[in-house]
Amino acid sequence: MTGDSGDTIRARIDAVKARLPIADVIERTVKLSGTATSRQRRGQCPFHGSTSTSLAVYAEEGQAHCYGCQWHGDVVKFVQDTFQVPFAEALARCEVEAGISHGAGIGGDAAPVQRARNPGPVRQRRGPPMIDPVAMGRWIWRQARREDGPVRRYLLGRGVPAGAVTDARLAAYRYLSECPCALWREGDDPMKGPVAPAVVADVVLPGMADGALTWRVIGVHVTYLSPDGEGTMRRRKPWAKPDDADPWLPKRRMLGPVGQGAVIIGPYRPGAHLWVGEGNETVLSGMYIGGADGDAVGVATLSLDNLQGGLAFARSKYGGERVWTLHDIRPDPERPCFTVPGHRGAVTGLIDSDMAPLRGRKDRETGQFQGELVQETRRGPYARRAISGAERARVCGELFVKGWRRVGAGPVNAMRAPPGMDFNDAARELV
């Protein structure tokens, strides 16, 4: 169909999204965690050489996002990029699949392997529903208390230099000696399931109200500890089967809608020097390596995506495939990095250098990775190759600096860990 106005196209997309759940389509080619009623499901991203569940599917929003390669989109975008077809064809296929029109649906010549479905009736589980992650996070936070000793023991056990673990920074954390490791049913005793000692931090989202900076708690970050308290937990799920691909309880949990928030490590001040990195250990280790002052403040963004924000990809003229324009790194204005509005002090980004390369999608026939589409100079040709870990670190640093400069902070710089290492690794070599 040609000649559609923007409003008409938007209406067609909305109609598809209302009738065709994105998880139903993604699940045909990607094994997803959870069930059809889960708010968020995870799986291995089909658009790069992922071996972890970096692809998050958000059912209520009708969106999916990869925290590894930064792919982001709705069901139409997923079909477009999976089958390498133009947008108009992808939308038409989705309309057929949704029962809006007739013709060739999402299958066709490039049909992915269909997952078998149980044709029998769905059994309803008896008993109260499971509590949601937000409720779990609230319960844990209420039970946890400030205990600097166990938190310090964990951080030092992880290789964080003692000089970075000050009393002021320890105030960001709480400790719970017996913390639930899994959700429980409403009305049940949370302690009936598996428990472990844990370090707990609240995740906050900064904002502005009447010209003043505000902080809103949006969730908690939980790190489960080993029995000796010096490392992270490694423990099988009690319900895991012998052949489960991932039989382990999670070492960390982020409970609540924490995607755009951060852990603030130390008393924040508008003029403080902020040291911003992905994880708690990385931030504290990077502050030590970088010679941070005692009153400097750490910021753990908890994900690479939140640290750097989104990259504004170009699109190829033929097929609309995304292009890494390495000569012109620009932030995606719709997916900014974490920042603090109105901050006027110095900001240092702590960029780990152990990022895995992005190797693109696998060819369906050969099983080989196809690489990403790259343009290295402004008028240069496109090349299909892997994005190296060093290139990813450089892109991350540039996005970080531009994102913080946009809100008026300064000076802003990015500091990279030694090649092949994160800052926690580098700190271990120093002590």
Side-chain angles (χ1 to χ4, degrees):
M1 183 174 181
T2 60
D4 284 351
S5 68
D7 290 344
T8 302
I9 293 294
R10 185 70 261 167
R12 291 174 62 193
I13 294 173
D14 290 344
V16 165
K17 292 171 68 174
R19 301 187 185 189
L20 184 61
I22 186 172
D24 287 1
V25 174
I26 293 178
E27 200 169 19
R28 299 181 186 186
T29 55
V30 177
K31 183 178 180 180
L32 297 177
S33 65
T35 66
T37 60
S38 302
R39 291 183 179 179
Q40 180 189 136
R41 305 178 69 180
R42 301 298 289 255
Q44 293 184 0
C45 178
F47 301 117
H48 75 286
S50 173
T51 57
S52 63
T53 54
S54 59
L55 182 69
V57 182
Y58 301 96
E60 293 182 0
E61 294 85 353
Q63 300 281 330
H65 179 79
C66 176
Y67 290 92
C69 71
Q70 311 302 308
W71 183 92
H72 183 90
D74 58 16
V75 64
V76 179
K77 184 70 169 58
F78 183 83
V79 171
Q80 179 183 1
D81 289 350
T82 297
F83 297 95
Q84 301 184 52
V85 296
F87 167 79
E89 182 177 343
L91 177 56
R93 289 191 185 191
C94 288
E95 287 177 324
V96 172
E97 201 72 19
I100 298 172
S101 63
H102 301 283
I106 290 176
D109 295 337
V113 176
Q114 301 292 309
R115 298 183 66 196
R117 294 180 179 271
N118 184 353
V122 178
R123 293 185 178 180
Q124 299 295 325
R125 294 195 66 178
R126 297 180 179 178
M130 305 294 285
I131 67 164
D132 63 37
V134 173
M136 180 180 182
R138 289 197 188 107
W139 189 94
I140 291 173
W141 184 252
R142 286 196 299 266
Q143 303 301 315
R145 296 291 182 267
R146 180 173 178 181
E147 291 188 41
D148 290 355
V151 178
R152 188 190 304 273
R153 178 181 178 86
Y154 164 71
L155 292 172
L156 297 182
R158 291 281 292 165
V160 176
V165 189
T166 64
D167 289 345
R169 292 170 189 156
L170 285 172
Y173 305 102
R174 292 186 180 185
Y175 176 75
L176 185 57
S177 60
E178 293 184 314
C179 182
C181 300
L183 297 172
W184 59 90
R185 292 190 178 279
E186 292 181 2
D188 282 358
D189 181 359
M191 309 304 290
K192 289 173 61 177
V195 297
V199 173
V200 186
D202 61 355
V203 182
V204 296
L205 182 68
M208 298 294 289
D210 299 325
L213 180 65
T214 62
W215 298 94
R216 180 166 60 92
V217 177
I218 57 175
V220 297
H221 179 270
V222 182
T223 302
Y224 295 101
L225 309 185
S226 57
D228 63 6
E230 296 183 357
T232 53
M233 175 183 73
R234 182 171 175 81
R235 183 174 173 184
R236 285 185 66 90
K237 301 171 185 174
W239 54 86
K241 298 177 181 179
D243 58 347
D244 277 359
D246 180 18
W248 306 105
L249 288 166
K251 294 185 287 187
R252 294 179 177 87
R253 278 187 179 273
M254 290 189 283
L255 301 170
V258 301
Q260 295 179 315
V263 175
I264 307 301
I265 309 172
Y268 175 81
R269 304 179 317 285
H273 188 161
L274 302 184
W275 295 73
V276 188
E278 187 174 350
N280 293 289
E281 296 91 338
T282 280
V283 170
L284 290 167
S285 298
M287 294 175 77
Y288 179 84
I289 293 171
D293 294 334
D295 59 354
V297 178
V299 179
T301 64
L302 306 179
S303 73
L304 177 63
D305 192 57
N306 202 26
L307 174 65
Q308 69 177 31
L311 173 63
F313 292 100
R315 290 286 166 184
S316 65
K317 295 180 180 179
Y318 306 100
E321 185 177 353
R322 76 177 190 180
V323 180
W324 290 71
T325 51
L326 296 181
H327 60 90
D328 185 20
I329 302 301
R330 297 184 183 182
D332 182 346
E334 295 185 1
R335 294 188 292 122
C337 67
F338 175 90
T339 56
V340 179
H343 187 77
R344 294 297 177 264
V347 181
T348 297
L350 300 168
I351 314 301
D352 289 332
S353 296
D354 60 348
M355 300 183 193
L358 299 178
R359 297 176 290 175
R361 298 189 312 157
K362 279 187 176 181
D363 184 274
R364 296 183 182 279
E365 296 182 359
T366 66
Q368 299 297 312
F369 291 105
Q370 297 176 322
E372 298 280 352
L373 205 57
V374 177
Q375 187 182 43
E376 300 191 25
T377 60
R378 183 178 180 184
R379 292 185 174 84
Y382 294 159
R384 191 174 292 281
R385 62 172 178 81
I387 304 293
S388 70
E391 287 174 321
R392 292 188 65 191
R394 177 176 71 82
V395 169
C396 177
E398 289 192 34
L399 291 174
F400 175 88
V401 170
K402 291 176 180 178
W404 278 90
R405 286 177 177 171
R406 179 183 57 82
V407 299
V412 183
N413 67 89
M415 185 172 81
R416 291 194 221 171
M421 304 175 72
D422 62 26
F423 280 98
N424 197 209
D425 295 330
R428 287 175 181 270
E429 293 200 348
L430 293 177
V431 297

